[in-house]
Amino acid sequence: MNSGSQKREREQRQKLQHFLTDLALLGSLQGFQYFQPWLRGREELLLTIVNEDSGWRSPGFAVSQASSLISSSSSSSTSSTYSLASDPGSPLPGDKQGPRQGTQGPQPGQQHTPRPQHHVQKGSSDAHLLPASPSEREITVPEVNCTLFLLAGYAKYGRPYAWIRSNHERLVNIGGTDSMVKDTPMKLKSITDWGSKEVRVWDIVNELVCLCTIPSPTNPFTLDMRYLKSLPLPERFLSSGALLNFLEKYVVYGNRDELHYNKVLEEVKTLRRLHVQTLSEVQRQQCRVDKPVSPAIPEPVKEE
């Protein structure tokens, strides 16, 4: 191996390490409106994404509690509403002719920009890139009106991949077994660009949210302020600080040409005000707790 190849290999390893650092940071956060991350191990993150934006509130727990029966019935109703079978983000496990076009378009009042078709090349090795956590052993089920994804950066693959874990019939209609679809990585533009561009974890999340949520949100990283304000004071302080750290990192390193970049800036300002206000409340509460209590002075005994 020549020095040029070794240098590229080192750069790719370092790039993957940065991705895993971002993955761990994202996995510790709660309070986004359109998605909910849950870190599972050093290399894996489960991402629950809202299917239809109807004023959905982000839940206050990390693991989904919806039953598979409810989730299944919900996915049936959403799949009949809109089909994304021609999306570039659809998983295409060895389908030579590409996905079939969906039969229905968006309902009145919904806006959705058509995306160009992407196809898996014949003989693509992507079909053999299995996740470390096979879908048949997946115990997490998504919330109602949500789709579950597995996002991972395995060292053995040297780059991130995303697998769909539920409601795949909403996005693809290509036949085959459920496990074949769920254990084949999705054909995402952000992941395709990994080798030639600076791709961060928020780029993949952005693409998945815009792929999955209908109508596509103007800001995939919109915060659920009602949820944050409902948290107990210490938890609100920690959560707002962690979210602020992530979004400020996005502001510094994110793509400023993205249409939602300025909206993220607005979220940062709002979140910063909440964080400072919460800090003041925490300090006032602490002062009340630490305030010394003057000892009671006994009354003098009157002599008879």
Side-chain angles (χ1 to χ4, degrees), residues 132-147:
S133 302
S135 61
E136 61 184 12
R137 295 206 296 268
E138 183 60 69
I139 61 174
T140 306
V141 281
E143 285 299 306
V144 174
N145 187 37
C146 294
T147 298

Side-chain angles (χ1 to χ4, degrees), residues 30 36-37 58-66 143 227:
Q30 295 293 314
Q36 177 190 356
S58 59
F61 40 83
V63 185
S64 169
Q65 297 176 349
E143 285 299 306
Y227 163 71

Side-chain angles (χ1 to χ4, degrees), residues 56-202:
W56 181 84
R57 286 187 61 190
S58 59
F61 40 83
V63 185
S64 169
Q65 297 176 349
S67 69
S68 58
L69 179 61
I70 296 177
S71 175
S72 175
S73 63
S74 173
S75 66
S76 299
S77 62
T78 55
S79 63
S80 63
T81 302
Y82 188 70
S83 173
L84 294 177
S86 61
D87 248 79
S90 304
L92 307 171
D95 182 28
K96 299 179 181 179
Q97 298 179 351
R100 292 193 293 270
Q101 181 66 35
T103 57
Q104 295 185 0
Q107 296 295 313
Q110 292 180 335
Q111 296 180 353
H112 194 78
T113 303
R115 301 179 178 90
Q117 294 191 27
H118 285 201
H119 301 278
V120 167
Q121 298 297 324
K122 184 176 180 180
S124 170
S125 60
D126 284 357
H128 305 291
L129 298 176
L130 300 175
S133 302
S135 61
E136 61 184 12
R137 295 206 296 268
E138 183 60 69
I139 61 174
T140 306
V141 281
E143 285 299 306
V144 174
N145 187 37
C146 294
T147 298
L148 184 67
F149 296 89
L150 173 66
L151 179 58
Y154 301 127
K156 65 178 179 178
Y157 295 152
R159 62 191 301 159
Y161 284 100
W163 293 264
I164 188 169
R165 281 302 168 92
S166 73
N167 294 349
H168 62 279
E169 63 276 4
R170 295 184 69 252
L171 306 181
V172 291
N173 185 19
I174 58 178
T177 62
D178 283 358
S179 60
M180 178 190 299
V181 175
K182 294 177 181 179
D183 288 337
T184 299
M186 302 179 69
K187 196 72 173 178
L188 299 175
K189 182 181 183 303
S190 54
I191 292 178
T192 302
D193 292 342
W194 171 266
S196 58
K197 296 182 180 179
E198 186 65 25
V199 176
R200 305 292 291 262
V201 66
W202 48 70

